[in-house]
């Protein structure tokens, strides 16, 4: 009887876990999918370009913005992608030169497509045809960073992020302009059809790629583009059903791995291709099955959507832990508003309306489209344009939540008066990880003050075993202590412990984030904010060292040039960092010489590091504050 009860308990636990995993309530078989999924190549989510719908529906200012954007590329040649440029990733470690060249070529195609859609006069069709043909002639649509050898080979086709992204751009362009392309020659559309099948449909369907079970952005990012290609270009009913089923299984795996609080451990910048790409999958699946799959009631999915505004600071800035950029989500209006509509989230809708107003969407839509991805996201823009009039009628609301706490991600944000603070716990093996357990940032008057520098240009070192040799990944260039001359270490075991949150305050023991050489028994760090009109952020370090083996210092990175007014006070423009001069000695370092062009563009100026050196005691409690 006892064994039976144990067996029953194990079985019920397994069933519970299985139920927890199946968050999307996907059918155990394909009966519903077989019944409801549209027939191959019959999906018509939008009118095509030969329909006057676009000219009649879109406001004139919006259309003119797209038309002027496309005119910049009209008549331009379509260069081939250099094999020597492709090989630079392996030979020199540089990935950005090839990517910039590749992305610009795709930007040119997307710009011409949206201009022709807006104008509808055939003026850009020959450029579009030439652009499609040139793209089809490329040996491989992926990036060298995702490829094993210096030179791509046809037989080594692999479905990576940008193979899928390019396939989606080509597919949507061909869908919109089939009639006009066929008037030039049917060979263009036929070649698109064959290449979509060869480059993405067949390999994605028949290979068990790791990303199909991943809990990070590759999964939904690729799946959203793969699904577009299935719905637009898969001719075989059996393969269509199997492909969509695999996408659904991948969606389920992604959601199951996601924290219940909806937090994206890859940072706010990657939300765009994590939760937002998952929504693209849901949207397309629902559209292609006569609205048979409704995911709006799922609490976790709603939390994943809300993360977008929860990480917003002000003036276009967002919390930028990990590899994220500080000014990221405002560029993604074409996914943000449709997602807000789908989940009927009033704050998210107000946020999207604010961003549209802030960036003058009606007159500046093309500029926002231009930065909506590594190249303009044509499929996303089409869905946005169906809702453009509604967006422009929405009530503008800049989100200003006073307190946010994501317990699984261990991220806190709080705002009081003119100050905003965010702090993170977690561990040092998160996706796109930096060694930053316990780090915090402070913004003042909606502008950066104490910062996380973020990440520079991606190179071959960025995602290699040498990642933590890059200065931006190291804890000493985050707002963290160096303990006995040691920085935090990478790895899941290097994590925050005893994490405690209350509104406006987060504390944790970060000693476990450091290696044994740091000889730290406990390092209890507390960051809190208080006040209303005149706010203050206080940081308290309460630590015990086993012994003294080197200098222990508090590192603080700032965008403002620090001015040491007197021991105990460092002026940061209109704000001030106060510290106990009897416990800490300050000196200032300029970090700007370490910055590449990417970081200089992000921060729009110099950055500095304040180093506060302790007096060498084994046990100490130190409080310092910004006001």
């Amino acid at each position: 009887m006892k064994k039976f009860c144990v067996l029953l308990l194990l079985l019920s636990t397994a069933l519970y876990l299985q139920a927890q995993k199946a968050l999307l309530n996907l059918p155990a078989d394909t009966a519903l999918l077989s019944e409801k999924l549209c027939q191959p190549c019959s999906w018509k989510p939008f009118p095509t370009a030969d329909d006057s719908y676009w000219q009649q529906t879109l406001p004139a200012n919006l259309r003119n913005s797209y038309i002027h954007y496309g005119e910049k590329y009209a008549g331009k040649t379509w260069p081939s992608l250099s094999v020597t440029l492709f090989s630079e990733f392996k030979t020199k470690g540089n990935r950005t030169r090839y990517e910039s060249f590749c992305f610009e070529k795709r930007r040119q195609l997307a710009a011409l497509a949206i201009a022709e859609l807006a104008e509808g006069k055939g003026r850009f069709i020959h450029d579009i045809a030439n652009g499609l043909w040139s793209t089809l002639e490329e040996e491989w649509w992926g990036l060298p960073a995702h490829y094993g050898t210096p030179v791509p080979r046809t037989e080594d086709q692999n479905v990576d992020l940008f193979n899928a992204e390019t396939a989606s751009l080509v597919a949507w362009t061909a869908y919109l302009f089939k009639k006009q392309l066929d008037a030039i020659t049917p060979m263009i559309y036929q070649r698109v059809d064959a290449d979509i099948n060869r480059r993405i449909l067949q390999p994605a369907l028949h290979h068990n790629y790791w990303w199909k079970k991943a809990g990070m952005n590759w999964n939904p990012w690729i799946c959203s583009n793969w699904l577009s290609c299935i719905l637009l270009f898969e001719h075989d009913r059996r393969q269509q059903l199997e492909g969509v089923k695999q996408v659904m299984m991948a969606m389920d795996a992604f959601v199951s791995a996601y924290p219940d609080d909806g937090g994206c451990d890859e940072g706010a910048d990657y939300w765009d291709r994590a939760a937002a790409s998952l929504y693209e999958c849901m949207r397309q699946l629902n559209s292609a099955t006569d609205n048979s799959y409704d995911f709006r009631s799922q609490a976790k999915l709603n939390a994943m959507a809300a993360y977008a505004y929860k990480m917003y600071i002000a003036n276009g800035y967002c919390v930028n832990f990990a590899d994220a950029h500080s000014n990221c989500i405002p560029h993604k209006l074409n996914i943000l508003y449709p997602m807000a509509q789908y989940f009927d989230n009033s704050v998210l809708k107000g946020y999207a309306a604010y961003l549209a107003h802030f960036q003058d969407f009606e007159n500046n839509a093309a500029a926002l489209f231009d930065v909506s991805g590594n190249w303009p996201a044509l499929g996303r823009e089409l869905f946005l344009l169906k809702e453009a009039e509604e967006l422009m009628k929405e009530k503008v609301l800049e989100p200003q939540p006073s307190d946010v706490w994501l317990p699984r991600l261990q991220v806190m944000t709080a705002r009081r008066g003119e100050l905003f603070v965010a702090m993170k716990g977690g561990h040092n093996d998160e996706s796109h990880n930096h060694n930053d357990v316990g780090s915090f940032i402070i913004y003042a008057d909606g502008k950066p003050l104490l910062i996380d520098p973020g990440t520079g240009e991606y190179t071959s070192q960025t995602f290699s075993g040498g990642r933590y040799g890059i200065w931006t990944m190291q804890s000493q260039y985050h707002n963290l202590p160096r303990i006995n001359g040691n920085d935090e270490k990478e790895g899941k075991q290097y994590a925050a412990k005893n994490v405690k949150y209350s509104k406006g305050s987060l504390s944790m023991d970060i000693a476990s984030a450091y290696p044994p050489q740091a000889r730290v028994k406990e390092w209890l760090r507390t960051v809190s904010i208080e006040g209303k009109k005149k706010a203050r952020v206080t940081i308290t370090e309460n630590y015990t060292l086993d012994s003294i083996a080197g200098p222990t210092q508090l590192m603080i990175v700032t965008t403002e040039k620090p001015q040491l007014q007197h021991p105990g006070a460092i002026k940061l423009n209109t704000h001030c960092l106060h510290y106990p001069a009897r416990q800490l000695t300050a000196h200032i370092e300029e970090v700007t010489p370490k910055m590449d062009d990417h970081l200089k563009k992000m921060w729009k100026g110099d950055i500095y590091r304040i180093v506060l050196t302790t007096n060498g005691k084994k046990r100490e409690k130190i409080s310092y504050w910004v006001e």
Side-chain angles (χ1 to χ4, degrees):
M1 185 66 181
K2 184 176 180 181
K3 288 183 179 179
F4 175 77
C5 290
V6 171
L7 183 61
L8 186 62
L9 176 62
L10 290 173
L11 179 61
S12 62
T13 301
L15 290 173
Y16 171 76
L17 291 174
Q18 184 178 2
Q20 288 294 98
K21 182 178 181 181
L23 290 170
L24 299 183
N25 291 320
L26 300 180
D29 55 26
T30 58
L32 180 61
L33 192 64
S34 298
E35 178 189 349
K36 295 294 185 179
L37 183 64
C38 63
Q39 290 300 309
C41 302
S42 67
W43 187 48
K44 305 294 181 186
F46 323 104
T48 51
D50 55 303
D51 192 307
S52 61
Y53 166 86
W54 300 102
Q55 294 80 47
Q56 293 175 353
T57 305
L58 299 180
N61 290 354
L62 205 65
R63 291 192 298 108
N64 288 335
S65 176
Y66 293 125
I67 293 166
H68 294 325
Y69 178 48
E71 286 173 339
K72 296 192 304 182
Y73 294 98
K76 283 195 172 184
T77 58
W78 293 93
S80 62
L81 298 178
S82 162
V83 68
T84 55
L85 205 59
F86 189 100
S87 69
E88 279 191 353
F89 178 74
K90 293 294 182 183
T91 59
K92 299 180 181 179
N94 183 288
R95 62 181 283 173
T96 55
R97 292 207 325 127
Y98 178 87
E99 288 178 9
S100 297
F101 195 83
C102 173
F103 294 173
E104 180 59 22
K105 183 175 179 180
R106 284 142 176 76
R107 175 173 287 104
Q108 184 174 342
L109 180 57
L112 292 164
I114 202 73
E116 179 58 39
L117 190 70
E119 187 177 69
K121 296 180 179 180
R123 186 158 60 111
F124 302 99
I125 285 296
H126 285 275
D127 284 319
I128 292 170
N130 290 331
L132 279 173
W133 196 258
S134 179
T135 304
L136 294 167
E137 288 181 328
E138 292 175 11
E139 186 74 13
W140 196 55
W141 285 345
L143 293 185
H146 305 150
Y147 193 79
T149 60
V151 180
R153 298 179 302 177
T154 303
E155 61 266 30
D156 292 328
Q157 289 296 325
N158 176 35
V159 180
D160 79 332
L161 299 176
F162 298 102
N163 183 335
E165 276 279 296
T166 301
S168 177
L169 172 61
V170 169
W172 281 116
T173 305
Y175 165 80
L176 289 172
F177 301 107
K178 182 181 186 303
K179 184 176 180 180
Q180 293 92 327
L181 293 170
D182 283 351
I184 298 172
T185 171
M187 285 183 63
I188 300 172
Y189 192 86
Q190 291 168 11
R191 177 78 182 274
V192 168
D193 196 351
D195 271 37
I196 293 291
N197 185 61
R198 175 176 65 88
R199 294 177 189 260
I200 186 167
L201 294 181
Q202 291 303 313
L205 182 67
H206 296 296
H207 287 78
N208 189 26
Y209 290 118
W210 65 269
W211 47 259
K212 293 182 181 180
K213 297 179 181 178
M216 47 83 76
N217 69 76
W218 274 60
N219 178 333
W221 189 345
I222 293 175
C223 282
S224 61
N225 293 298
W226 177 22
L227 185 56
S228 298
C229 293
I230 293 171
L231 296 176
L232 293 172
F233 278 93
E234 179 56 78
H235 296 272
D236 184 274
R237 179 63 171 176
R238 183 188 62 80
Q239 293 191 146
Q240 180 206 35
L241 286 167
E242 177 59 26
V244 175
K245 181 182 175 182
Q246 286 191 27
V247 169
M248 293 167 71
M249 292 170 64
M251 291 165 61
D252 201 33
F254 177 74
V255 173
S256 298
Y258 225 80
D260 293 339
D261 58 24
C264 180
D265 71 349
E266 299 170 281
D269 200 30
Y270 280 91
W271 173 89
D272 165 52
R273 290 301 181 181
S277 285
L278 175 74
Y279 160 68
E280 280 189 278
C281 293
M282 296 190 299
R283 175 174 65 188
Q284 293 180 102
L285 177 63
N286 214 29
S287 170
T289 58
D290 194 24
N291 299 317
S292 298
Y293 295 91
D294 190 347
F295 307 105
R296 288 174 291 185
S297 63
Q298 294 289 339
K300 183 189 282 191
L301 299 181
N302 278 271
M304 290 164 71
Y307 175 83
Y309 70 77
K310 289 179 179 178
M311 292 297 104
Y312 180 72
I313 301 172
N315 296 320
Y317 289 108
C318 305
V319 174
N320 71 310
F321 297 131
D323 273 356
H325 302 155
S326 61
N327 52 350
C328 49
I329 292 176
H331 292 163
K332 320 301 182 185
L333 185 63
N334 62 7
I335 192 67
L336 193 68
Y337 183 65
M339 199 169 179
Q341 284 279 76
Y342 179 79
F343 287 106
D344 195 23
N345 186 312
S346 59
V347 179
L348 205 58
K349 285 192 280 189
Y351 179 31
Y354 166 75
L355 295 176
H357 174 77
F358 179 70
Q359 299 172 111
D360 192 14
F361 169 66
E362 185 171 358
N363 299 299
N364 202 35
L368 304 186
F369 177 52
D370 184 66
V371 293
S372 63
N374 289 293
W375 59 79
L378 181 59
R380 287 184 170 187
E381 198 77 0
L382 296 175
F383 278 98
L384 174 67
L385 292 181
K386 287 183 68 176
E387 301 175 355
E389 286 190 292
E390 292 178 66
L391 170 60
M392 289 185 284
K393 294 175 184 176
E394 289 284 355
K395 183 179 180 181
V396 172
L397 176 65
E398 184 178 19
Q400 297 283 303
S402 59
D403 294 277
V404 169
W405 171 235
L406 303 176
R408 283 282 302 279
L409 204 60
Q410 296 183 352
V411 168
M412 170 198 81
T413 76
R415 68 183 81 230
R416 305 287 186 271
E418 77 282 13
L419 294 182
F420 172 96
V421 63
M423 183 187 184
K424 75 175 297 291
H427 59 80
N428 280 335
D429 191 30
E430 296 167 346
S431 188
H432 290 265
N433 181 72
H434 291 199
N435 287 343
D436 60 358
V437 171
S439 189
F440 66 91
I441 59 173
I442 297 176
Y443 278 59
D445 308 303
K447 298 177 182 178
L449 186 64
L450 306 186
I451 65 165
D452 179 329
T455 191
E457 293 178 351
Y458 283 169
T459 67
S460 59
Q461 186 181 358
T462 307
F463 298 105
S464 73
R467 178 179 176 87
Y468 296 96
I470 302 172
W471 68 272
T472 55
M473 313 297 176
Q474 300 166 3
S475 63
Q476 64 172 302
Y477 290 100
H478 293 74
N479 299 317
L480 284 163
R482 297 192 85 189
I483 305 175
N484 275 324
N486 288 273
D487 296 328
E488 290 187 3
K489 288 286 289 181
E490 61 275 11
K492 195 167 186 177
Q493 69 272 34
Y494 298 102
K497 293 185 176 180
N498 299 323
V499 178
K500 297 178 181 178
Y501 168 77
S502 60
K503 280 190 176 181
S505 179
L506 183 61
S507 67
M508 62 190 70
D509 184 357
I510 62 173
S512 294
Y514 290 80
Q517 306 90 282
R519 302 181 186 182
V520 54
K521 185 176 181 180
E522 181 183 57
W523 193 292
L524 185 62
R525 162 171 273 205
T526 303
V527 173
S528 59
I529 186 170
E530 58 186 1
K532 293 183 179 180
K533 290 185 178 180
K534 186 66 175 176
R536 170 188 290 192
V537 176
T538 302
I539 306 97
T540 301
E541 320 281 5
N542 193 347
Y543 62 87
T544 302
L545 307 180
D546 288 325
S547 61
I548 304 298
T552 294
Q553 300 163 311
L554 305 173
M555 306 299 187
I556 299 172
V557 184
T558 179
T559 52
E560 299 293 343
K561 187 173 184 178
Q563 297 178 9
L564 185 59
Q565 290 185 307
H566 56 77
I570 299 174
K571 188 177 181 182
L572 302 169
N573 199 349
T574 59
H575 295 270
C576 191
L577 170 66
H578 298 274
Y579 64 93
R582 61 183 178 81
Q583 294 173 292
L584 299 169
T585 303
H587 76 271
I588 312 300
E589 300 172 353
E590 189 172 353
V591 180
T592 308
K594 293 179 174 290
M595 298 167 69
D596 60 23
D597 291 340
H598 180 85
L599 286 169
K600 289 175 182 176
K601 182 179 179 181
M602 183 163 68
W603 294 114
K604 302 173 184 176
D606 299 326
I607 66 174
Y608 305 85
R609 184 169 71 167
I610 301 168
V611 180
L612 301 174
T613 303
T614 69
N615 55 16
K617 292 183 179 180
K618 290 169 60 177
R619 184 173 183 142
E620 192 71 280
K621 182 178 181 179
I622 303 172
S623 290
Y624 49 107
W625 63 95
V626 173
E627 62 181 9

